[in-house]
Amino acid sequence: MAWLQMRDAALAYGHWPLLEGAEFVLGAGERVGLVGRNGAGKSSLLRVLAGLERLDAGTLQRRQGLRLAYVSQEPDFGEATTVFDAVAEGLGEVRRWLQRYEAAAPAEDLDALHGAIDAADGWRWPQRVQETLARLHLEPDAKLAALSGGVRKRVALARAWVQRPDVLLLDEPTNHLDIDAIDWLVQQLKAYRGSVVVISHDRHFLDQVATRIVELDRGRLRDYPGDFSQYEALKAQQLTQEAVEQAKADRLLAQEEAWVRQGVQARRTRAQARVERLTRLRQARAARREALGQVRLELARGHASGRLVAELQGVSVGFERDDGRHMVVRDLSATILRGDKVGIIGPNGAGKTTLLRLIVGELQPDAGTVRRGARLQVAYFDQLRQQLNLEATLEDFVSPGSEWIEAHGRRQHVRSYLADFLFDPARARSPVRTLSGGERNRLLLARLLAQPVNALVLDEPTNDLDIETLELLEQRLAEYDGTVLLVSHDRRFIDAVVTSTLVFEGDGCWREYEGGVEDWMTQSKRLHGRAPVWPSPWRDDDAAPVAAPCPAPAEPPAPRRLSYKERRELEALPARIDALEAEQRTIEAELADGAVYARDPQRARALAERHGAIEAELLDALQRWEALQALDDAAASPR
C-alpha cells in the first residue's frame, strides 16, 4: 500500500534542475535511504515530501490522514528555551486544539474538536512529552543554548517522535551523534512501525537500517533494493553499462555528423529519414546530463617532520563544574610518531576535541608533560567550521588577496582549483553562507589541503560530505605519508584510515589499541572479557558494567647520562641543522628561477640531487637530535 506517491516531479533552483520527471513511491513499513552528491537536491526533496516546499511540476499524493514528522539537518527550535518546550513544539497543533476547546467560542464545533483531540491522544500531551524525553534520556529543564550538537540532534528527534508519525523524514540524523548513540538510533528505527526516509552518508548506518536505497542522480530517482552494500554493487554495474551505451551513441552521432557534412547526398529525398535521425541524436545528446565529476583531492606534502610528533607522559587535564572537578584526561602516556594515523574514539562530551588540542599544543596539561617533535606543520579541521568566514567569497576564502594559489607543487588559478572540488566557476564570487553543509565542509578541505603540511588534525571531517567524496578522502588519507589525528563516528571511515586508536574508557581514562573500530572491539573484549562499554545514557544503568580502570603507566627504566662524545654531538647538531636548511633554501631559490635548466642542465641536475640528499641528512640530524635531547631531559628530570 502506497503512503506517499510522487509522479513526474520537477523542481529547479535558478537554472539548475534538481528534479526532472522524478518518480517516487513509499510503502508502509519501508525504510528508505536517500543518497546522492552534495547539492543534488536531497534535502529539497525531503522538504517536498514533508510539505514544506512545492514542486514546480508533477504531483505528490499522500494517503488521507497521513502524519509526517520532519527532522532537518540543522534543527531550528524557534523561541523555545528549554528541552521540554522544544519537544512540546511537536504537538503544536494538538495544543492549539486544546486552547480552542477551552476557549469554547460560539462558532466552534466542540464535538468535532473533542473527537480530533481524542484521536490524537491530546488530553495527556504533557505526559507524552515526558515519556519521550525519558526514552531519549533528555533533561526537560536543560537550556537549549547550553547543549552540544549531539544533544540538540536528540532533542529534534524527540520533537518528531512525540508526534507518533506514520512517516519519519530524517535529514542526516547521525551528524554529531557518537557511535553508541548511532547504534541506539539503529535499534529504534528497526523497531519503528511506520515508514522512514533518511538522508545519510554513514555507510554502516545505512547498511543496518535501509531496506531500500533511492539515489538522486542528475534529477532522477533510481531504486535499488536492499542495503547500502547491495546498492554499491548494483550501482557499479549500472555505471559500466551506462558508459558503454553512451559511448555507442556518441560513435553513431559522430558517424552521422560526418555523413551530413558531405552536402548534396544528405539533401536527397531518400536520405530525409537519416537527417531526421541525426536531429533526434543531437537532441538526445544535448538533453543528456553527464555524471558529476569526482573531487580532485590531493594532499599537499610539506617538509617531513622529525620522527617524533608528540610524546605525552602522565598527562592530566580537568575542568571545574558545579559538581566538582571533572577529569577529561587522566594520567595518559602515549607516543605518536611520523606516519602514524591515530583515531580518537569516545562518546559525546568525553573530551575528544580537548585531547586533540592537547596533542597539537593549543592546550597545556594540568599535570604531566607533552613534548612535540621538530618541523611540525599542522592543518586543523574543526568540527564547528569556526575557520569559515561566511561573508567571504569562495575564492577569497581559499586564496585571500590573490587570484592564484600555490598548491601541490604547481601554480593554479583559484577558480580552476575550486573546480577540482566541484565548485562551478560561476559561484566563485558567491558568499560562503550560500553553501550547503556538505559544500562548506568541501570548501574547508579545499583550503586546508592546499597548505604544505606534514600533520593533519581532522575533527569530524565526514559530517555532511557525500559518499563519493568520503571514499576519495579515505583513499588519500590512507596513502598520505604524513601524520593524521582523526576524530570521527563513521566506523567505515575510521577502519579505512587509522593504524591505531585512542579510546575513552570512562573517568578520564584513555587506552591505546592497534587498528580501527572493529579491532578495538575485538581487543577490548579479549582484554576485559566483554564487549566494550562506555558510560552511556543509552543503556539501563544495571546493564552497563563499570569501566575498566586506567592502565597504570609502566615504570620507566633508570635514565642514563649522555657521554662526553654524545654531549658534544648534541651541542653541535642545532648549528648543523641550521646550515643544512640554509643550503636547502639557497638551492630552492636557484632552481625556482628556471633559467639554470636552460643555461646549465648538468648543474640543475646536480642541485636537484643535492636537494634530495639534504632532505635525508636533515631527517637523520633531527632524529638524532630528538633522541639525544630526550636522553638528556630524562637524565635531568627528578624521579
Side-chain angles (χ1 to χ4, degrees):
M1 176 183 176
W3 283 12
L4 277 172
Q5 188 164 14
M6 189 172 68
R7 292 180 179 173
D8 199 23
L11 181 67
Y13 282 132
H15 70 285
W16 186 252
L18 300 177
L19 298 176
E20 286 185 299
E23 308 278 338
F24 177 71
V25 176
L26 178 67
E30 281 194 297
R31 297 193 298 272
V32 176
L34 181 59
V35 301
R37 300 295 288 266
N38 289 140
K42 301 184 299 297
S43 294
S44 297
L45 173 58
L46 210 64
R47 289 176 61 82
V48 166
L49 297 180
L52 301 175
E53 290 190 24
R54 297 177 63 88
L55 294 170
D56 296 335
T59 60
L60 175 63
Q61 297 176 333
R62 300 186 185 91
R63 194 197 68 184
Q64 188 174 4
L66 189 71
R67 298 190 305 275
L68 298 98
Y70 167 69
V71 178
S72 65
Q73 196 171 141
E74 299 294 338
D76 179 11
F77 298 111
E79 298 180 359
T81 58
T82 67
V83 169
F84 184 93
D85 293 338
V87 175
E89 283 181 350
L91 294 171
E93 187 176 28
V94 172
R95 294 166 71 188
R96 285 191 292 273
W97 291 344
L98 285 165
Q99 289 171 359
R100 286 162 52 192
Y101 187 84
E102 290 168 359
E108 193 73 68
D109 186 347
L110 295 182
D111 287 339
L113 204 53
H114 191 284
I117 296 170
D118 270 345
D121 189 23
W123 303 107
R124 53 184 299 275
W125 73 265
Q127 292 90 330
R128 280 174 60 180
V129 173
Q130 291 287 2
E131 289 167 4
T132 305
L133 292 174
R135 183 180 177 189
L136 273 76
H137 307 281
L138 293 166
E139 292 294 332
D141 297 326
K143 300 296 183 183
L144 285 172
L147 301 183
S148 67
V151 179
R152 289 174 69 88
K153 182 70 79 171
R154 281 160 46 199
V155 174
L157 288 169
R159 183 171 59 181
W161 233 290
V162 78
Q163 300 174 46
R164 299 178 183 170
D166 301 310
V167 178
L168 265 175
L169 305 172
L170 307 177
D171 193 350
E172 294 285 3
T174 61
N175 278 3
H176 308 297
L177 295 185
D178 58 46
I179 290 175
D180 217 15
I182 292 172
D183 287 344
W184 171 88
L185 182 58
V186 166
Q187 298 306 317
Q188 297 301 311
L189 293 179
K190 283 183 173 180
Y192 179 59
R193 294 183 179 181
S195 298
V196 179
V197 181
V198 56
I199 297 173
S200 180
H201 300 134
D202 187 321
R203 293 154 293 176
H204 178 80
F205 175 76
L206 288 174
D207 268 340
Q208 296 294 310
V209 168
T211 58
R212 176 162 65 106
I213 298 293
V214 173
E215 181 189 40
L216 178 53
D217 180 26
R218 290 163 280 174
R220 299 297 180 93
L221 292 170
R222 294 182 171 88
D223 274 308
Y224 299 86
D227 59 22
F228 184 80
S229 295
Q230 292 169 295
Y231 152 76
E232 283 185 302
L234 291 170
K235 178 65 176 177
Q237 295 173 10
Q238 177 191 311
L239 286 176
T240 302
Q241 183 179 353
E242 183 179 300
V244 170
E245 291 174 355
Q246 290 185 355
K248 194 183 299 181
D250 289 342
R251 281 197 303 271
L252 179 58
L253 176 60
Q255 291 169 4
E256 296 302 293
E257 292 282 7
W259 170 80
V260 82
R261 283 194 294 270
Q262 294 174 7
V264 176
Q265 181 182 358
R267 289 194 292 272
R268 293 175 183 167
T269 304
R270 66 175 181 269
Q272 188 61 36
R274 195 168 178 182
V275 174
E276 291 174 355
R277 182 175 68 167
L278 174 59
T279 302
R280 290 195 301 271
L281 285 170
R282 285 172 173 170
Q283 291 172 344
R285 182 65 183 83
R288 184 198 303 168
R289 288 179 64 183
E290 302 288 355
L292 291 173
Q294 192 176 55
V295 175
R296 287 187 57 187
L297 236 176
E298 299 179 58
L299 301 179
R301 290 169 171 80
H303 294 292
S305 67
R307 184 170 182 272
L308 177 72
V309 173
E311 183 181 46
L312 288 72
Q313 288 287 344
V315 169
S316 294
V317 174
F319 299 101
E320 293 296 335
R321 297 196 311 195
D322 292 341
D323 56 351
R325 189 158 184 78
H326 172 64
M327 296 304 298
V328 177
V329 179
R330 187 188 299 275
D331 200 23
L332 172 63
S333 296
T335 302
I336 300 171
L337 303 177
R338 183 181 65 247
D340 284 352
K341 298 181 175 69
V342 182
I344 298 177
I345 302 174
N348 288 334
K352 300 184 292 297
T353 300
T354 299
L355 182 55
L356 277 183
R357 295 177 60 211
L358 189 67
I359 294 172
V360 300
E362 291 187 2
L363 185 68
Q364 296 304 313
D366 298 337
T369 59
V370 180
R371 189 163 65 93
R372 297 173 191 88
R375 304 184 80 195
L376 277 181
Q377 300 166 297
V378 179
Y380 196 119
F381 182 102
D382 71 290
Q383 62 169 313
L384 299 178
R385 307 190 194 113
Q386 291 178 343
Q387 298 165 358
L388 285 174
N389 179 359
L390 298 183
E391 300 307 316
T393 63
L394 272 61
E395 60 183 12
D396 285 342
F397 177 75
V398 170
S399 181
S402 174
E403 293 183 354
W404 299 89
I405 188 168
E406 297 285 344
H408 319 302
R410 64 179 183 273
R411 193 165 185 257
Q412 190 176 6
H413 195 278
V414 65
R415 296 196 177 192
S416 172
Y417 181 71
L418 285 169
D420 290 345
F421 287 81
L422 301 186
F423 291 108
D424 192 308
R427 300 178 67 189
R429 299 298 302 170
S430 301
V432 173
R433 58 181 162 76
T434 63
L435 302 181
S436 68
E439 289 172 323
R440 291 182 186 186
N441 265 16
R442 214 188 310 141
L443 183 70
L444 190 51
L445 283 173
R447 174 168 168 167
L448 291 180
L449 300 184
Q451 302 172 16
V453 298
N454 48 41
L456 287 171
V457 180
L458 306 175
D459 193 353
E460 295 284 6
T462 62
N463 283 350
D464 305 317
L465 288 182
D466 59 51
I467 290 168
E468 290 87 348
T469 306
L470 271 179
E471 291 175 342
L472 184 60
L473 183 58
E474 279 178 5
Q475 180 183 340
R476 293 293 182 265
L477 289 176
E479 296 168 351
Y480 182 55
D481 55 12
T483 306
V484 177
L485 299 176
L486 170 66
V487 172
S488 178
H489 300 305
D490 187 323
R491 291 191 184 189
R492 281 183 59 172
F493 188 80
I494 294 174
D495 284 340
V497 172
V498 306
T499 56
S500 64
T501 51
L502 274 171
V503 182
F504 178 76
E505 297 199 337
D507 194 28
C509 172
W510 297 82
R511 192 188 298 265
E512 188 171 7
Y513 294 87
E514 292 296 321
V517 176
E518 298 300 326
D519 299 302
W520 153 55
M521 290 183 170
T522 302
Q523 294 172 60
S524 180
K525 189 172 183 179
R526 188 182 305 127
L527 179 66
H528 303 308
R530 56 169 172 79
V533 175
W534 286 326
S536 169
W538 309 104
R539 298 182 185 83
D540 297 330
D541 289 339
D542 55 356
V546 178
C550 284
E555 184 68 24
R560 69 174 182 86
R561 294 185 177 276
L562 294 180
S563 66
Y564 174 77
K565 184 177 179 181
E566 287 173 332
R567 172 70 61 186
R568 293 289 302 274
E569 184 183 4
L570 176 61
E571 292 170 353
L573 274 171
R576 173 167 169 72
I577 291 169
D578 288 343
L580 287 169
E581 288 180 335
E583 184 183 358
Q584 192 176 51
R585 285 192 297 270
T586 302
I587 292 173
E588 287 172 350
E590 188 171 352
L591 290 176
D593 180 23
V596 68
Y597 291 96
R599 184 177 65 249
D600 191 348
Q602 290 185 348
R603 175 168 173 75
R605 185 164 53 253
L607 285 173
E609 290 174 357
R610 176 57 186 157
H611 188 278
I614 291 174
E615 188 69 25
E617 290 177 30
L618 265 174
L619 276 178
D620 291 341
L622 283 165
Q623 290 173 6
R624 182 61 175 162
W625 177 83
E626 287 175 351
L628 292 175
Q629 189 64 54
L631 280 174
D632 194 39
D633 291 345
S637 62
R639 290 182 59 76

